[in-house]
Amino acid sequence: MKNIIKEIQDALAVLSIPEKAEFFPRFFKTGKGEYGEGDLFLGVKVPDQRSVAKEYYSKINLKDLSSLIASEYHEHRLTAIFILVSKFEKTKDLEEKEQVVQFYLNHLPYINNWDIVDSSCYKILGRYAFENQKEHLLRELSESEEMWHKRIAVVGTMHYIKKGSFDFTKEFVTRNLKHPHDLMHKANGWLLREMGNKNEGALISYLNLYYKEMPRTCLRYAIEKLDEDLRQDYLKGRI
């Protein structure tokens, strides 16, 4: 185990860029009281992390991956997530998929920043829930008090949107419409916008019910792709 973990860590260390290591803590809000408080960074770009994950996903097992995803370094955790997504997508065996899903759920404390959430939740949990009618997995996270769990739930419905199913997106957005953190406002607006890309009528019907209650950031994200006149009507409350 130590050898494969060390290989991955060494591969990432070689790709470290000092300027990025200095910039990322500010970008990911790691200061006291911020959402990424205490997170540490090596300074490795995402494409490089994906390359490392591509090289090692078939070489490392889930037991060993548990050590990597628990790292205090952000890039170790994100690379572990890229590996996990590859393991899920590359296998056709349902039992193996279920093992990946259980691993994901067992390691939620380490899926603790928006990029780690957004890179994985709909590709693993959302797809699994859709294909196996396990929506309760997402719903339970949506009802959690933990913000990252709520974001996993709503972004996890991206897979449903891609398949033309919108009910769970609307349910989870509505439940957490007035969440106090703007990371939820952005996630909710993003998923509504994706729903609109798939079916503009479905977005407009939802907006007409709730747009006056939405935080401004959520609304702006949701209406980004609409006709400009219609956007202004929503922004100025004329509907």
Side-chain angles (χ1 to χ4, degrees):
M1 183 271 281
K2 290 183 179 179
N3 288 338
I4 190 73
I5 295 298
K6 188 174 187 307
E7 280 186 36
I8 294 172
Q9 292 174 340
D10 287 349
L12 290 169
V14 168
L15 297 165
S16 174
I17 301 171
E19 293 80 7
K20 295 292 184 182
E22 184 178 346
F23 168 72
F24 285 155
R26 298 193 301 273
F27 182 74
F28 286 100
K29 308 295 184 184
T30 63
K32 187 172 179 59
E34 295 182 308
Y35 64 77
E37 181 178 351
D39 209 353
L40 300 179
F41 289 83
L42 297 168
V44 184
K45 294 187 292 186
V46 169
D48 289 336
Q49 293 177 65
R50 290 188 183 277
S51 295
V52 172
K54 183 177 180 180
E55 179 179 354
Y56 284 97
Y57 86 89
S58 62
K59 301 176 183 178
I60 186 170
N61 59 41
L62 291 180
K63 182 179 178 180
D64 294 346
L65 192 63
S66 184
S67 175
L68 187 65
I69 202 172
S71 172
E72 60 186 349
Y73 284 97
H74 190 100
E75 290 93 339
H76 290 170
R77 301 197 308 280
L78 184 55
T79 300
I81 279 295
F82 289 149
I83 288 172
L84 198 66
V85 169
S86 291
K87 284 183 174 293
F88 185 85
E89 292 179 339
K90 298 295 185 182
T91 184
K92 295 181 180 179
D93 184 88
L94 180 57
E95 184 176 347
E96 290 181 5
K97 287 184 180 293
E98 289 176 343
Q99 290 172 356
V100 169
V101 168
Q102 195 57 55
F103 180 98
Y104 191 87
L105 294 172
N106 288 344
H107 292 81
L108 288 176
Y110 307 110
I111 304 170
N112 58 354
N113 214 313
W114 58 264
D115 59 330
I116 303 176
V117 168
D118 297 353
S119 298
S120 58
C121 60
Y122 71 92
K123 294 180 178 180
I124 296 176
L125 202 58
R127 179 178 170 183
Y128 176 79
F130 179 86
E131 292 179 349
N132 298 279
Q133 296 78 53
K134 299 281 189 179
E135 285 78 19
H136 71 278
L137 296 175
L138 296 175
R139 182 173 286 114
E140 288 168 7
L141 292 174
S142 180
E143 295 171 349
S144 167
E145 294 302 313
E146 169 60 52
M147 181 185 68
W148 297 124
H149 295 179
K150 292 179 181 297
R151 186 167 174 122
I152 287 170
V154 70
V155 179
T157 67
M158 180 77 77
H159 189 84
Y160 285 77
I161 290 173
K162 291 176 181 294
K163 299 297 183 180
S165 178
F166 311 130
D167 287 348
F168 292 105
T169 301
K170 292 186 286 187
E171 175 187 335
F172 299 160
V173 168
T174 304
R175 175 177 293 120
N176 294 295
L177 193 63
K178 298 181 180 181
H179 191 279
H181 206 293
D182 75 332
L183 282 176
M184 283 304 300
H185 304 168
K186 292 174 180 178
N188 288 338
W190 169 31
L191 270 294
L192 290 174
R193 184 180 69 220
E194 292 299 319
M195 183 175 74
N197 289 342
K198 193 75 172 178
N199 185 324
E200 188 172 290
L203 171 60
I204 289 172
S205 294
Y206 185 87
L207 288 173
N208 290 348
L209 288 174
Y210 293 104
Y211 86 96
K212 291 184 178 180
E213 303 175 36
M214 287 181 181
R216 204 66 171 173
T217 298
C218 177
L219 178 61
R220 287 187 178 277
Y221 270 59
I223 65 176
E224 184 179 3
K225 299 294 183 66
L226 295 181
D227 174 81
E228 182 59 25
D229 289 340
L230 185 55
R231 282 185 69 254
Q232 291 302 319
D233 285 341
Y234 280 119
L235 288 172
K236 295 175 182 178
R238 295 192 293 235
I239 294 176

